[in-house]
Amino acid sequence: HMQEVLEDEYGINISYSSLSRLLRKEDIKTPVPKKHRRKHKSRKAKEYFGEMVQLDASKFDWFSDGSYAHLHGAIDDATDKVLALYFTKEETTEAYCELVFQINHSYGLPRKFYTDGRTVFFYDSKRKHKLTLEEQLAGMEESMPQFARACKETGITLVRAHSPQAKGLVERLWKSLQGRLPKDFVRLGIHNMEQANQYLSKFIVSWNRRHSNQPSKPESFFAAKYPDKVLNLYFATQEVRILSRGYTFSFQGKKYAFDNPSCPAEPGDALIVAHSKYCPVQVIYE
């Protein structure tokens, strides 16, 4: 970390071994002790860029002031390339959607997301309602989290990791960033999430230049980029409302009305209402 700061911010080029030797001479020791890692069977990394992306969030005292925040991150399984980072106070669906928007803007959409079992991604299989045969024949679908529904509609498969070791790539990333970013924030005068989010795009470029690898296979598995308006609609929160006889429906304490002659829906029809901070309230006809 010190070697990188010297090179990027002061224009001082020095090898890792030389810098380490100078620090030891001044009796400045690393704050991170070496630990003996337990051996476990590693999962083989994917071969193609965009074939699978690991998603996760890390709660930590990022600003060294006792106020914990969640850093959400996306890292490519084949290249170790960090694709997106985003700070919020809590771990939320909206923050993971922000990662998707960042990834799409730079690369397109990946084939798979590799995640833990949080309800942002998966409902508890033991608690959720299982459809009966009659319900399945009637065309009903099992409910799923909003993020999972959006991934399905945009062709992204969600894969569940059943242990922290299984998604060791993103876990190692958190360990590195927890040691680096707080020091960067102090040095650069960054004191809040808004400032940090503005800095992260620059940090990602610097990090990937040194810490990413070439994939085993040259082809990219990223799909074509979605237009922002279209992707915002997919990843908005979508809720069903029934159109009344007066061509109205209620949503979040407000009543919305359609001009009868121009409304393509009929009373009793189901409407899907989509909304998010990126997407004003929009109505989709089923």
Side-chain angles (χ1 to χ4, degrees):
H1 186 203
M2 185 176 182
Q3 180 195 33
E4 293 174 8
V5 171
L6 288 173
E7 180 181 340
D8 290 345
E9 300 181 20
Y10 297 93
I12 299 174
N13 293 299
I14 183 172
S15 70
Y16 180 87
S17 57
S18 297
L19 181 58
S20 179
R21 187 164 55 249
L22 289 172
L23 292 173
R24 287 199 303 270
K25 183 178 179 181
E26 296 297 325
D27 199 30
I28 301 175
K29 299 179 180 179
T30 173
V32 184
K34 290 186 178 180
K35 294 182 179 180
H36 294 287
R37 294 183 178 179
R38 294 181 178 179
K39 293 184 178 180
H40 63 276
K41 187 176 181 180
S42 299
R43 177 183 57 79
K44 185 179 179 181
K46 297 299 181 183
E47 296 181 316
Y48 298 91
F49 184 43
E51 184 178 358
M52 188 168 76
V53 172
Q54 296 190 22
L55 296 182
D56 198 24
S58 174
K59 181 181 180 182
F60 190 69
D61 184 11
W62 296 100
F63 303 101
S64 306
D65 58 2
S67 64
Y68 285 76
H70 284 78
L71 178 57
H72 300 68
I75 185 168
D76 180 64
D77 196 82
T79 63
D80 295 3
K81 179 177 285 188
V82 175
L83 307 180
L85 292 170
Y86 189 66
F87 274 110
T88 56
K89 184 62 179 176
E90 302 295 337
E91 184 175 1
T92 65
T93 298
E94 289 76 14
Y96 283 111
C97 291
E98 172 63 30
L99 296 183
V100 175
F101 300 149
Q102 290 185 29
I103 296 170
N104 177 71
H105 184 266
S106 299
Y107 308 99
L109 294 184
R111 179 165 293 187
K112 298 177 182 178
F113 281 137
Y114 197 49
T115 72
D116 57 24
R118 294 184 182 277
T119 53
V120 170
F121 310 114
F122 303 97
Y123 284 150
D124 188 340
S125 60
K126 295 180 180 179
R127 296 182 180 181
K128 72 177 183 180
H129 169 68
K130 291 289 186 181
L131 296 179
T132 65
L133 179 60
E134 290 76 13
E135 289 173 331
Q136 294 179 41
L137 292 174
M140 295 181 63
E141 296 183 357
E142 290 186 5
S143 62
M144 60 179 64
Q146 293 284 346
F147 187 86
R149 186 262 315 150
C151 286
K152 181 180 179 181
E153 292 176 353
T154 52
I156 304 172
T157 302
L158 284 180
V159 181
R160 182 173 182 172
H162 294 282
S163 70
Q165 291 80 12
K167 53 187 182 69
L169 180 61
V170 72
E171 296 292 345
R172 292 191 295 273
L173 176 66
W174 295 141
K175 186 175 181 180
S176 296
L177 297 193
Q178 287 170 7
R180 289 169 178 255
L181 284 179
K183 299 181 180 68
D184 287 342
F185 293 162
V186 170
R187 192 178 69 257
L188 299 173
I190 294 173
H191 306 292
N192 56 55
M193 292 187 295
E194 183 179 1
Q195 294 173 329
N197 282 329
Q198 293 176 354
Y199 167 72
L200 286 176
S201 58
K202 179 181 178 181
F203 173 82
I204 289 173
V205 173
S206 175
W207 176 270
N208 286 338
R209 188 170 69 248
R210 294 183 172 92
H211 301 285
S212 62
N213 308 301
Q214 292 298 318
S216 299
K217 301 292 179 64
E219 296 85 2
S220 172
F221 271 27
F222 280 101
K225 296 179 182 179
Y226 273 79
D228 291 343
K229 288 184 179 180
V230 176
L231 196 65
N232 289 345
L233 187 59
Y234 276 120
F235 280 87
T237 297
Q238 297 186 4
E239 300 180 31
V240 177
R241 292 293 185 271
I242 303 300
L243 191 64
S244 72
R245 291 183 179 180
Y247 288 87
T248 65
F249 67 92
S250 297
F251 182 71
Q252 294 185 337
K254 295 182 179 179
K255 180 170 284 190
Y256 295 82
F258 288 100
D259 183 18
N260 188 347
S262 62
C263 182
E266 297 293 334
D269 286 352
L271 311 175
I272 297 177
V273 184
H275 66 99
S276 74
K277 70 175 184 177
Y278 305 99
C279 175
V281 174
Q282 297 189 43
V283 178
I284 307 168
Y285 304 106
E286 283 198 321

